[in-house]
Amino acid sequence: MAVLMIFWFASWTVTPLLVVASRLPLRHPTLTRARRWAGWLALLPPTVTILLSLGL
């Protein structure tokens, strides 16, 4: 249950920040790679929260 609460909290705090970071208009090549990773990592907390809550 504690892991579920951690990912639930992360889905409300970390996910919006990662989405904003993935949408920043940066032109540098290394930063575009970081933007792509931020976009993919933004999907992790909500997905894990849903999967863990289905297991209850």
Side-chain angles (χ1 to χ4, degrees), residues 24-50:
L24 289 175
L26 302 174
R27 305 265 185 223
H28 201 271
T30 57
L31 295 178
T32 57
R33 188 176 304 139
R35 285 179 46 216
R36 189 176 303 127
W37 274 100
W40 281 107
L41 288 176
L43 298 173
L44 187 66
T47 305
V48 172
T49 301
I50 291 169

